[in-house]
Amino acid sequence: MLATLCPVVAFSAFTSTVASAADGDAVFYRALNLNGPALSIGGHDWESGAGARDFEARGKTFDNQNVPLVPKTGLNRSRMIRSSVWGGDVELTLKRVPAGKFQVFLYVWEDNRSETFNLLVNDRLIQPGVRSGGAGEWKKLGPWHCESRDGQLKISARAESSGNGAANLSGLEIWSGDGPVPAEPAPAFADNPTPEQLAFFESKVRPLLVANCYDCHSAESGKTKNSLSVDSRESIRHGGDSGPALVSGAPDESLLIAAVRHTNPELTMPPRKKLPPEDIAVLEEWVKMGAPDPRVGGPSAAPAARAPVDWEKARAWWSFQPLTKPAPPVVRDTAWPENGIDSFILSRLETEGLAPAEDAAPGVLIRRLTYDLTGLPPSPEEVDAFEKSAAASGLTAAIREAAGRLLASPAYGETWGRRWLDVVRYADTAGDNSDFPIPQMRLYRDWVISAFNRDLPYNEFVREQLAGDLLPQRTNDQLIATGYLANARRFGSRVDDYPTHLTIEDTIDNFGRTFLGLTINCARCHDHKFDPIAAADYYALYGIFNSTRYPWPGIELEQRQRDLVPLVPEDQVAAVLAAERQRSDELERLKKNEKKLAEAAKKASDGPEKEDANQKLEAARQAVREAAVRPQAPQAYAVAESEKPADVPIQLRGDPTKSGPMVRRHFLTILGGAELPPDDHSSGRGKLAEWVLAPSNPLPARVMANRLWQGHFGKGLVATPNDFGKQGRAPTHPELLDWLASEFVSKGWSVKEMHRLIVTSRTYRQSSTPRSPEAHEKDPGQALLSSFPRLRLSAEAIRDTLLELGGSLDRAPGGEHPFPPQEKWEYTQHNPFKAVYPTNKRSVYLMTQRIQRHPFLAIFDGADPSTSTAQRTTSTTPLQALFLLNDPLVHEQAAKFADRLRTSLPAEPDRFHAAWLELFARPPGPEEVESAQAFLSGLRSKLAATGQPPEAVESEAWHALIRALLRLNEFVYLD
């Protein structure tokens, strides 16, 4: 049997058949908001009753969204309930209903005084004497079991014979089948937030609430208008007079979001001025992630003044301790370790009474190693050579030889460069409301790939990204490296009040996580809640980046780039910039003239006047085209020094309009707190790089050593690679982490040497099958590495492998993306830049857009370009199975692979052997050959019965077999 990756699930707008009693739970069929818009309730899409297909409603319509509901409920359900079809004879009819059994629910409500009425389904009385209740009361009635009659379901509400009884019917919900109706899932708040979620709240959400909501809704202000307080987790979830303020995961159903959107004049927060779109987006994102909120135990409107930091005590935290190089421990099984790594791992296993797993088979190891270092599968020839080398010289020697070959491949830098791009949230667009493209950003991507391939020492790798433009005798590559800073996210759509502080916050956030494993941005509004980082430290770093000139990517109200860095000798920079400004101004003048002449041509009368106007317009257009393509010096999307570097004040509560005391630019106090010398008139980025890489700073080596370990084993020794603070996880093997970090420094910060050290360890070459059942019990998450953790291929590796199998992969470097020329940019927040550019290049070269993920990469858990992705998730979803079943890329490459096998190998057994070797780095077993033969035989018979010619039958049968093999777990997982 061929085990598939995950079950296949199909979806459609409406079911064409209905579930039977034997099908288990009832299945959602349709729901209608009888007198309101389409919306989402309880995880299901509700149609608008107005104009819904195959539906008719008889009765009057009514809507009053200001009536307080009893009981309170979510925003969308409230909208539905407060609008209705009403009267003494209301009838709802669904047509073209398939035969079968159904269950009906009906929402009714009362806006003023109680009424009594009867309810019928298919003209059968099912609930007599329904009392609507007092003003605002609502009920969900049902379920009523019924069957469709003549393809219809009819629900009626009729007044009692006395004449009293106008019914307000709000919503109709239909389920198919006789089984239990699944309970509506309760909103699950993020009560155990991740470090990233806490950082999001502290840096973005709390400042918003404090600045915009606390004056009217907090204990500090003494005001709780409409009984709503938002200064604690409990109070904001409980809500006020109108109901709960939040519905976890559902911004459209949350009263808080409705209030800040100002969609209802009766419900607006803040009341006088609507929040900027980017602030509303922050609150929406917060609700989507489950409203993580650390404010437990009552109001916390203004964080209490923090006691002075006990710096000596703070330095006792494990990650701030000086780096040491502990000796590998003595182990009982002295024959097992190959290097120091193994001694640390085995010592812990022996302490737990466990033994490491057996060595993996050579075919498993070469597949693991090749994907690990290059993101591509080994060829059958490489598998054969490795197995022969292992047999002749042993596994260690074979791995060392193969690792040397793979590390020398350009594919190595493409794979490990992509890992770095995840962490630094690389994107080819700006991330503002319009998400302007940045054609030059790919130069930084290429620099990262090149740096890994040439094994640029990690300390120089860091230095060039922070201050490459400030190095003596700087090169173009070093200028391009500062694209790391330039790539900070942009916000807003206005020029005059451009929110630079948010871009600097994004810079500080990523700088702290990437190089130090610290959430520095949590100190933007107040001293860090958990780690020894003061607000003064945050604004000391803020001053450094505020004294840096970022490039301008273009924005809705200024649709052109500026302040990029020319890639020319330093003595030519001023002249090149002046020429570029002149060219840009001239192009702007020509475009304005073109627009003016276009208007004149529209108004010109037919005849000579029209002809003359059109000639002038065409000449103007030609002038614009010529100016737009005029040669200019190559430029990098990189940073430079500000004309006026300066210290900055603390921003009270993170508000750039409220200044506190000035702060001299300095490094984090916990890491030495060195200040910029008084006679230093630079931005301070050069000194910042020195401070980060100082021998006394233990964090960069620990953080990067942990990232390298994570890249090979799927999880770091510290499971929170971006957070080595108190909200992060402690290392599972602290002595091993320090030993690795010390080795890293002693080997000249060589990343490739660390790869060699890790992959030649006995730990790395373990089988993924534990040696004993006790290992499952004592090491279920494989934190102790009692066996090799089974890993799924990355999204990029899956795509690249498909192209490689089909012979379609273009191994040349990526080059430029086909962005529209800058003179055609007309992007706005309502018409943002969006594009997906097809290419057969490796996936690292795909155009990466900040505000939307590439559709393929999104399916297979690619990195989120809007934030640092320290560790990718691994999901198993129906979409992944559907992709491997149906996507044209899979069909096309599977067909090419199958055709190559059929052309080059006439004998079917040889094809099976070659297919398994290329897909799984091993030959097929007898049962697999038998299963494949049976699959082909059955399909050939079915295809031949359709009258297809023999060649077409054979071709399609093999195409289908390869597609089936591509859906095996073994294809997308590494053992």
Side-chain angles (χ1 to χ4, degrees):
M1 296 294 291
L2 304 179
T4 57
L5 169 67
C6 60
V8 179
V9 179
F11 301 92
S12 62
F14 299 108
T15 55
S16 58
T17 61
V18 298
S20 69
D23 291 326
D25 286 355
V27 177
F28 180 79
Y29 177 64
R30 290 183 76 175
L32 296 107
N33 183 10
L34 300 177
N35 182 34
L39 35 72
S40 176
I41 299 174
H44 297 291
D45 291 333
W46 282 54
E47 305 164 61
S48 169
R53 71 182 184 89
D54 301 326
F55 174 72
E56 290 181 358
R58 185 180 72 209
K60 303 173 185 177
T61 57
F62 176 76
D63 186 296
N64 186 347
Q65 294 295 324
N66 297 319
V67 177
L69 292 183
V70 182
K72 298 172 182 176
T73 187
L75 179 61
N76 278 4
R77 199 186 308 271
S78 297
R79 288 175 178 166
M80 178 269 292
I81 290 168
R82 291 188 183 113
S83 61
S84 51
V85 175
W86 74 282
D89 186 11
V90 180
E91 191 165 279
L92 313 174
T93 306
L94 280 83
K95 301 179 179 180
R96 298 179 64 187
V97 179
K101 297 181 179 181
F102 292 88
Q103 298 181 54
V104 176
F105 292 91
L106 186 66
Y107 285 82
V108 301
W109 83 299
E110 182 54 63
D111 65 294
N112 48 32
R113 64 182 183 276
S114 183
E115 305 268 8
T116 305
F117 49 88
N118 298 328
L119 290 172
L120 303 87
V121 174
N122 288 340
D123 297 321
R124 179 172 61 88
L125 181 65
I126 46 87
Q127 194 154 338
V130 177
R131 296 183 62 83
S132 62
E137 288 190 37
W138 65 274
K139 301 179 180 70
K140 180 182 179 181
L141 304 177
W144 302 310
H145 293 257
C146 60
E147 295 187 20
S148 61
R149 189 176 65 186
D150 299 327
Q152 293 187 353
L153 286 176
K154 186 166 64 173
I155 297 88
S156 311
R158 294 175 184 163
E160 291 189 319
S161 57
S162 62
N164 172 41
N168 272 334
L169 309 187
S170 300
L172 181 62
E173 186 177 328
I174 312 291
W175 293 72
S176 68
D178 257 351
V181 173
E184 186 175 314
F189 286 98
D191 287 336
N192 296 298
T194 64
E196 289 77 16
Q197 289 174 333
L198 285 174
F200 184 87
F201 177 84
E202 294 294 352
S203 65
K204 298 180 183 297
V205 180
R206 190 197 290 265
L208 272 177
L209 297 177
V210 170
N212 300 286
C213 307
Y214 277 21
D215 285 347
C216 299
H217 301 280
S218 70
E220 179 188 54
S221 68
K223 300 177 183 177
T224 52
K225 292 185 177 179
N226 298 321
S227 303
L228 174 63
S229 176
V230 301
D231 56 355
S232 75
R233 185 173 80 180
E234 290 75 12
S235 60
I236 197 170
R237 292 182 184 176
H238 178 271
D241 294 340
S242 301
L246 304 176
V247 177
S248 177
D252 292 342
E253 296 187 51
S254 298
L255 285 169
L256 176 69
I257 303 303
V260 298
R261 287 172 176 170
H262 284 209
T263 52
N264 181 351
E266 304 297 324
L267 183 69
T268 56
M269 287 172 51
R272 295 182 182 85
K273 184 180 179 182
K274 185 178 178 181
L275 293 178
E278 56 269 22
D279 287 354
I280 296 173
V282 165
L283 293 173
E284 291 171 339
E285 181 63 25
W286 179 54
V287 174
K288 285 179 184 177
M289 65 174 64
D293 190 340
R295 302 172 303 162
V296 180
S300 55
R306 188 172 162 164
V309 177
D310 183 337
W311 294 107
E312 288 305 313
K313 183 178 179 181
R315 290 188 184 96
W317 183 250
W318 71 267
S319 64
F320 300 128
Q321 289 286 297
L323 195 62
T324 63
K325 190 173 182 180
V330 176
V331 295
R332 292 193 292 273
D333 184 2
T334 57
W336 191 77
E338 288 283 351
N339 59 32
I341 290 173
D342 300 324
S343 296
F344 287 101
I345 295 297
L346 182 58
S347 175
R348 183 72 181 276
L349 290 174
E350 288 179 342
T351 301
E352 299 292 335
L354 299 175
E358 300 283 354
D359 289 343
V364 171
L365 282 174
I366 188 58
R367 186 171 188 262
R368 179 190 300 172
L369 184 67
T370 308
Y371 268 116
D372 197 350
L373 294 180
T374 69
L376 291 169
S379 68
E381 294 76 19
E382 290 167 343
V383 174
D384 182 62
F386 182 84
E387 290 177 336
K388 289 178 179 176
S389 176
S393 307
L395 278 176
T396 302
I399 291 174
R400 184 176 289 112
E401 179 185 358
R405 171 178 57 81
L406 296 169
L407 288 169
S409 165
Y412 159 74
E414 292 167 337
T415 295
W416 280 82
R418 178 62 258 181
R419 294 179 186 273
W420 183 259
L421 297 177
D422 280 10
V423 176
V424 299
R425 44 79 175 103
Y426 172 83
D428 291 300
T429 59
D432 59 280
N433 291 350
S434 311
D435 207 24
F436 272 68
I438 306 173
Q440 305 85 355
M441 200 62 231
R442 59 99 184 174
L443 295 174
Y444 171 74
R445 174 204 68 197
D446 294 345
W447 176 84
V448 168
I449 293 170
S450 170
F452 274 93
N453 273 330
R454 56 195 166 94
D455 200 18
L456 179 67
Y458 181 71
N459 57 343
E460 295 304 316
F461 183 68
V462 174
R463 193 187 315 277
E464 293 185 14
Q465 290 180 84
L466 293 177
D469 58 314
L470 304 179
L471 297 176
Q473 299 179 333
R474 69 188 185 196
T475 64
N476 282 347
D477 274 355
Q478 290 168 335
L479 289 174
I480 290 168
T482 67
Y484 159 70
L485 296 174
N487 199 40
R489 184 169 181 177
R490 306 310 169 89
F491 302 85
S493 58
R494 297 165 60 88
V495 178
D496 295 339
D497 55 352
Y498 187 73
T500 304
H501 66 288
L502 296 179
T503 295
I504 294 177
E505 184 207 358
D506 185 72
T507 304
I508 295 173
D509 178 39
N510 192 267
F511 160 79
R513 294 174 187 274
T514 297
F515 302 113
L516 304 173
L518 295 175
T519 55
I520 299 174
N521 67 312
C522 291
R524 173 187 161 193
C525 304
H526 46 72
D527 291 351
H528 201 297
K529 285 291 185 181
F530 308 105
D531 297 330
I533 303 172
D537 287 338
Y538 176 90
Y539 287 99
L541 297 175
Y542 189 105
I544 292 173
F545 296 116
N546 194 55
S547 299
T548 299
R549 191 197 73 194
Y550 288 76
W552 183 260
I555 203 167
E556 181 173 343
L557 299 181
E558 187 182 339
Q559 303 237 0
R560 59 173 179 168
Q561 293 182 325
R562 55 176 165 83
D563 294 335
L564 274 66
V565 176
L567 296 176
V568 297
E570 194 169 359
D571 59 356
Q572 299 177 25
V573 170
V576 168
L577 288 176
E580 178 54 30
R581 281 194 294 270
Q582 182 178 356
R583 173 186 172 278
S584 182
D585 291 342
E586 174 67 7
L587 181 59
E588 195 66 23
R589 184 189 67 77
L590 291 171
K591 289 172 72 174
K592 288 180 179 178
N593 184 53
E594 177 193 357
K595 186 175 181 180
K596 179 181 175 182
L597 291 174
E599 291 294 326
K602 283 182 183 179
K603 298 176 182 177
S605 303
D606 290 339
E609 181 184 350
K610 190 80 166 180
E611 185 177 344
D612 180 60
N614 285 335
Q615 288 177 351
K616 291 179 179 178
L617 175 59
E618 181 53 37
R621 287 174 174 165
Q622 182 60 29
V624 169
R625 287 193 289 268
E626 291 175 357
V629 298
R630 195 172 297 153
Q632 60 187 106
Q635 295 180 313
Y637 193 76
V639 302
E641 293 287 84
S642 168
E643 292 182 0
K644 297 180 180 180
D647 298 331
V648 299
I650 290 176
Q651 296 172 6
L652 301 179
R653 288 183 170 177
D655 186 342
T657 67
K658 298 177 181 177
S659 298
M662 294 291 293
V663 178
R664 181 60 176 163
R665 282 164 282 167
H666 66 255
F667 197 37
L668 300 181
T669 305
I670 190 64
L671 296 174
E675 282 193 354
L676 200 63
D679 59 348
D680 191 324
H681 302 294
S682 71
S683 66
R685 284 184 291 113
K687 285 292 184 184
L688 178 63
E690 289 182 18
W691 298 334
V692 169
L693 296 165
S696 60
N697 183 3
L699 287 173
R702 280 193 181 119
V703 169
M704 189 57 179
N706 188 63
R707 294 195 196 281
L708 294 172
W709 185 271
Q710 174 192 327
H712 288 290
F713 292 98
K715 183 185 292 185
L717 297 169
V718 178
T720 50
N722 271 9
D723 191 355
F724 279 35
K726 291 187 177 180
Q727 290 298 104
R729 301 277 292 277
T732 55
H733 299 72
E735 294 83 6
L736 173 56
L737 178 60
D738 265 22
W739 187 85
L740 286 169
S742 298
E743 282 285 301
F744 189 27
V745 175
S746 68
K747 292 179 182 296
W749 298 87
S750 168
V751 172
K752 287 190 176 182
E753 285 303 310
M754 294 301 291
H755 288 308
R756 290 188 179 92
L757 178 65
I758 292 171
V759 302
T760 55
S761 70
R762 195 76 180 270
T763 304
Y764 180 79
R765 73 185 198 215
Q766 287 184 99
S767 167
S768 61
T769 303
R771 188 183 288 264
S772 66
E774 288 77 16
H776 282 298
E777 299 173 8
K778 294 185 177 181
D779 189 22
Q782 294 175 301
L784 303 180
L785 289 172
S786 57
S787 58
F788 187 84
R790 202 161 185 250
L791 304 174
R792 201 190 70 192
L793 297 179
S794 68
E796 290 85 354
I798 293 172
R799 177 182 176 274
D800 294 350
T801 299
L802 289 171
L803 291 171
E804 177 77 358
L805 291 171
S808 305
L809 185 64
D810 182 350
R811 298 295 297 274
E816 299 179 358
H817 299 300
F819 289 122
Q822 193 171 155
E823 64 271 13
K824 294 185 178 180
W825 289 0
E826 294 181 350
Y827 306 117
T828 69
Q829 61 179 317
H830 301 298
N831 181 35
F833 169 78
K834 287 187 178 181
V836 175
Y837 298 129
T839 178
N840 281 348
K841 299 286 180 70
R842 291 206 65 183
S843 300
V844 69
Y845 298 118
L846 291 170
M847 194 275 288
T848 304
Q849 189 161 350
R850 180 126 16 220
I851 65 171
Q852 69 169 12
R853 295 162 84 178
H854 188 280
F856 171 83
L857 302 182
I859 291 173
F860 287 98
D861 307 308
D864 180 353
S866 67
T867 189
S868 177
T869 302
Q871 187 167 15
R872 295 190 185 183
T873 58
T874 301
S875 66
T876 302
T877 69
L879 281 178
Q880 294 164 359
L882 289 168
F883 175 89
L884 293 173
L885 272 174
N886 303 321
D887 194 86
L889 173 67
V890 176
H891 279 247
E892 179 184 358
Q893 302 310 317
K896 289 183 176 181
F897 180 35
D899 292 345
R900 174 162 59 86
L901 292 174
R902 292 180 60 233
T903 300
S904 60
L905 299 168
E908 195 166 80
D910 292 338
R911 294 179 197 168
F912 292 147
H913 186 83
W916 259 257
L917 274 180
E918 292 205 42
L919 290 168
F920 313 124
R922 65 171 179 83
E927 290 184 0
E928 290 173 311
V929 171
E930 184 180 345
S931 178
Q933 289 172 331
F935 179 90
L936 288 173
S937 177
L939 192 54
R940 285 167 179 148
S941 298
K942 291 181 180 179
L943 292 171
T946 66
Q948 295 189 46
E951 174 57 29
V953 167
E954 189 66 15
S955 175
E956 181 52 38
W958 267 90
H959 293 179
L961 174 63
I962 297 300
R963 291 198 302 272
L965 294 176
L966 293 176
R967 292 200 303 117
L968 296 180
N969 276 348
E970 190 175 356
F971 172 64
V972 294
Y973 277 88
L974 291 177
D975 279 310

